[in-house]
Amino acid sequence: MKERLYELKQEALRRIDEAKDVKALNDVRVAYLGKKGPITEVLRGMGALPPGERPKIGALANEVREVIQQALEAKQAKLEQEEVERKLAAEAIDVTLPGRPVRLGNPHPLTRVIEEIEDLFIGMGYTVAEGPEVETDYYNFEALNLPKGHPARDMQDSFYITEEILLRTHTSPMQARTMEKHRGRGPVKIICPGKVYRRDTDDATHSHQFTQIEGLVVDRNIRMSDLKGTLREFARKLFGEGRDIRFRPSFFPFTEPSVEVDVSCFRCEGHGCSVCKGTGWIEILGAGMVHPNVLEMAGFDPKTYTGFAFGMGPERIAMLKYGIDDIRHFYQNDLRFLRQFLRV
Amino acid sequence: MLVSYRWLNEYVDLTGVTAKELANRITKSGIEVERVEALDRGMNGVVIGHVLECEQHPNADKLRKCLVDLGEGEPVQIICGAPNVAKGQKVAVAKVGAVLPGNFKIKRAKLRGEESNGMICSLQELGVEAKVVPKEYADGIFVFPSDAPIGADALEWLGLYDEVLELSLTPNRADCLSMIGVAYEVAAILGREVKLPEAAVSENSEHVRDYISVRVEAPGDNPLYAGRIVKNVQIGPSPLWMQARLMAAGIRPHNNVVDITNYILLEYGQPLHAFDYDRLGSKEIVVRRARTGETIVTLDDVERKLSEEHLVITNGREPVALAGVMGGANSEVRGDTKTVFIEAAYFTSPVIRQAVKDHGLRSEASTRFEKGIDPARTKEALERAAALMAKYAGGEVVGGIVEANAWREEPVVVTVSLERINSVLGTAMTKEEVAAILSNLQFPFTEDNGTFTVHVPSRRRDIAIEEDIIEEVARLYGYDHLPATLPVAEAKPGHLTPYQAKRRRVRRYLEGAGLYQAITYSLTSPDKVARFALETTEPIRLALPMSEERSVLRQSLIPHLLEAASYNRARQVENVALYEIGSVYLSKGENVQPAEKERLAGVITGLWHTHLWQGEKKAADFYVAKGILDGLFSLLGVDHRIAYRPAKRADLHPGRTADIWLDGTVIGFVGQLHPATQKEWDLKETYVFELALAELLNAESEAIRYEPIPRFPSVVRDIALVVDENVEAGALKQAIAEAGKPLVKDVSLFDVYQGDRLPDGKKSIAFSLRYYDPERTLTDEEVAAVHERVLAAVEKQFGAVLRG
Ligand SMILES: [Zn+2]
């Protein structure tokens, strides 16, 4: 009988092992552990044994039953697991297929540059002033120390509407307008971005419409060294730490002294390359100390107040920053161009 | 201004400073040197040759066979194609092995069977610009004076071992439109002396007053007029060195008398004019404004109509020169001229500028008068010119100067303190440093206890106030030595105005919604100017447009956005979604600044969304555009105050356009382009919108106030209503919301159906209604009661019936 139980155990374990699915496993369960199964049968036949043997065989039969039961459960779990895995495998997708696109747009590159510069100066305590694009001759020229007949104001270069009204040729009129609002009392600390217009034929480097950013600080004790420090700070924030600036003397009717400001080349670190035309420096700003006539006309006493002003062209900065080669791109609105300015 | 390095060296010792170094130092201290050009252009092996024989080439009509003595060895045979080559000439010969500009190497060659050992050169072949080559040599080889030494270096004789600095002058530095002016600048930079040219004249015993008198009737235009007579001149070429200097400065040599006037113009910055005295036709010069109807034939043989705005030099009867601009043909110096009247005058800028503008004539002379000359040097320049004419044109200078002089030199004295200099610049200069700079500038000054009193020389007419002196000091001190500081002031934080901040949020929203920002031109054409405009006025037109296409200021952003869409479509970018924020310009009357109003506009065309492999494809339509605007209004907190009402607008689809109302005002529109307009811009189905941005951004938006999150369940009921097809969903929805108050909290439309399953002329609109009471859970009965009320209301107002 003992042998018979061992035999049954081996047989059942083999069949469990062979079972391919839950149903086959159930068959095994019914076949061996069912009420009419062979183990039950063995137990029934125990009456023929000597009483001393019975408990032993009984215990053995239970043990066999137990072993089979456990094997069944283990196999059951395994089969269920496989079932789940099969099902999930069947649900697999190609993760390399394209995702559902989210529509994205982005700012114009000039807006990116202007907002970056606005933020940078806001961080230094400036506010943003905006003014009319159609200006009076007075604010565009006269208040900026460019009286009628001054050689630096050629009628041919400006879009006049009438003798007294024109499209502003620079954002500088905001200097006078802002100062007038302050009624002779500082401090004034503004930057003025905006569109300006010149009578130029559009080509790769000229545009009859373009943008400018003007900056103005007027207060007691403003020094030219403050202009240098401010613009160096600006250059470093816009073009990277380690940038340096240099002043070259120049002439603008509304500032004196006047300078042109170069930034050390951000491409070659000043060693010379195609961006800086081998000089290591890139011209990006015009600046200077506000001319006393300008202060005076706007109601500030030049003996008490001094100031500095600077102006720059977002087009030029964007062209340098992004390597754009033709100014007309900014106004054609070709999506193949605009789409390139998505990344922050 | 083109400055010859070798010529400049005559006025300032340039020892130890190369042309390149000089250029850098000039640039660093204020005058930009645009380029430095070596005139020899890498040439070598060009000598002066003597043409011993010159005969027709046996096999070529246009070639000559020349035998040329090069000053060493046997004369060589050279084939030459120049029409003016002739026996006996001294010419520039590029020998075999010579190099010409562009690394062009001269080799022994055979031309139509005849050997050629070198090349006889024109000036152009030696790198001289064609426009400055003397006319007689313009189409052929250059011929040296007969005394030129055979075998000598031709480049040396032509002054080509020189470098030219091109100065880009700002309008304030007219003083540097002369070699002497540049010399003062360079001397100040290098701390060296200026050597002025010799101007002493030896006169004969006659007196100029016996030849001519001068009367100026317009002293305002012409404060100083001076002249001299030089008699018995022999017109001929000027010395080669003078021709070379003129050419290097960009001026074409003519003859000795004219060349000397141009030479003095370059040297002193004082324009001169030489008249043929015998052709003046009188013994007097009268300077006056021209009379209307008067004419003059100028040197360029053009007859010019004059007016009272022009200044003329007359012989008392008729004009003989357009003052300061160009001489008259009638009194021109010619080959047979014997007696010359030299004019040295100071004409003021406005009258010259007017003539230049009216006659389109800009010359070296007029440029200098326009920018302002130094009248203190006028007579000195005249003296030097007379001396040179005596020397190089064999002339005899008649005694005395004839002049009309109303000009009085006004001394310019500027005082500035050391303390002021340092406080404006942020420097810590010493008295001695400032004094050294003023000395180098050769500005006479005195200094008392840190205050400098500077006597500004008349050549520096740009200096008049304290700041001018500060600038001179700063630029010569060197901006590299300026410290970098930050303004010392209370730090007030910067900020955007609420409007600016909101506008930025609008931009970010639109970009997030899938639109790209465009920037288009403000100037447009008259046929586009008022199209699509929310508001129109008389267009604002430029006085002097460059083209009709850009002649008026826009009143709507849409036309140029359509142009951009069309531009993209023409380049196979079919799906376009652009927005722009920019101004439109509305007239408020002539000679008044217009109203500039900011608009927000957009254009959408092509596919709005595609995700093809999952079967999604959505073309842009009215509701795409409207959805973007809806989001915008929510963002700005005005959504509940906005209404869309069907509208008819030019260029837009009459059935697919809505005006957008904010409270009681139209602030914009959205619609589909009219098919005819679409075609005009070569577009497919296209949607546009334009909004008055200021009205929108300035609309008060309610402050955000937290509303408790619902604590009780809400009840949702759907209804499908059948109505006439012309009933607007918006009106129906409004009626439901109204009738359902206060329990109906949301009404959302989820289906619209029109078709076979409904009678003709009917449509069904389905809404989902959410009922909610913040205080308690609603019962079915309560909901049902309100629901009935809603149904009754829509039936009454629209004849709506529940769809069975
Ligand atoms: Zn570089």
Side-chain angles (χ1 to χ4, degrees), chain A residues 210-227:
Chain A
F210 57 103
T211 56
Q212 259 190 3
I213 299 178
E214 183 92 2
L216 174 72
V217 174
V218 176
D219 203 349
R220 292 167 203 268
N221 306 320
I222 294 292
R223 302 157 296 178
M224 198 166 185
S225 56
D226 297 333
L227 172 65

Side-chain angles (χ1 to χ4, degrees), chain A residues 264-282:
Chain A
S264 60
C265 184
F266 48 84
R267 166 82 73 78
C268 66
E269 303 283 330
H271 298 296
C273 71
S274 63
V275 171
C276 58
K277 299 196 182 77
T279 63
W281 295 92
I282 302 172

Side-chain angles (χ1 to χ4, degrees), chain B residues 393-429:
Chain B
E396 195 180 304
V397 182
V398 172
I401 290 179
V402 63
E403 68 177 293
N405 191 352
W407 180 70
R408 293 290 166 269
E409 183 165 357
E410 302 266 342
V412 177
V413 180
V414 182
T415 58
V416 60
S417 70
L418 179 69
E419 194 254 316
R420 177 73 174 167
I421 292 174
N422 281 327
S423 75
V424 168
L425 298 176
T427 47
M429 268 184 254

Side-chain angles (χ1 to χ4, degrees), chain A residues 105-108 110-123 126-130 191-193 213 238, chain B residues 494-513 515 517 579-582 598-600 632 635-636 693-694 696-698:
Chain A
N106 56 256
H108 192 282
L110 289 177
T111 303
R112 284 185 67 125
V113 167
I114 290 170
E115 289 185 356
E116 189 178 352
I117 294 171
E118 280 176 355
D119 291 344
L120 223 143
F121 280 102
I122 287 171
Y126 291 64
T127 53
V128 179
E130 294 170 276
I191 63 158
C192 327
I213 299 178
L238 192 67
Chain B
H495 56 85
L496 291 173
T497 63
Y499 182 89
Q500 289 164 343
K502 261 192 189 177
R503 190 176 50 193
R504 277 207 193 176
R505 288 208 62 196
V506 168
R507 290 187 189 290
R508 294 302 93 81
Y509 163 76
L510 292 168
E511 288 146 12
L515 304 183
Q517 187 202 352
Y579 83 91
E580 179 170 14
I581 290 177
E598 259 190 329
R599 299 284 192 247
L600 161 62
L632 176 67
L635 180 83
L636 296 171
L693 192 64
L696 194 58
L697 298 193
N698 292 334

Side-chain angles (χ1 to χ4, degrees), chain A residues 106-167:
Chain A
N106 56 256
H108 192 282
L110 289 177
T111 303
R112 284 185 67 125
V113 167
I114 290 170
E115 289 185 356
E116 189 178 352
I117 294 171
E118 280 176 355
D119 291 344
L120 223 143
F121 280 102
I122 287 171
M124 291 195 256
Y126 291 64
T127 53
V128 179
E130 294 170 276
E133 292 168 32
V134 184
E135 258 300 355
T136 61
D137 186 88
Y138 177 78
Y139 284 110
N140 195 75
F141 289 126
E142 279 175 58
L144 294 165
N145 201 29
L146 278 147
K148 290 213 161 80
H150 191 284
R153 60 186 268 185
D154 194 336
M155 279 285 283
Q156 297 297 317
D157 297 339
S158 317
F159 284 121
Y160 273 88
I161 290 159
T162 66
E163 294 228 328
E164 292 305 321
I165 308 279
L166 75 161
L167 303 190

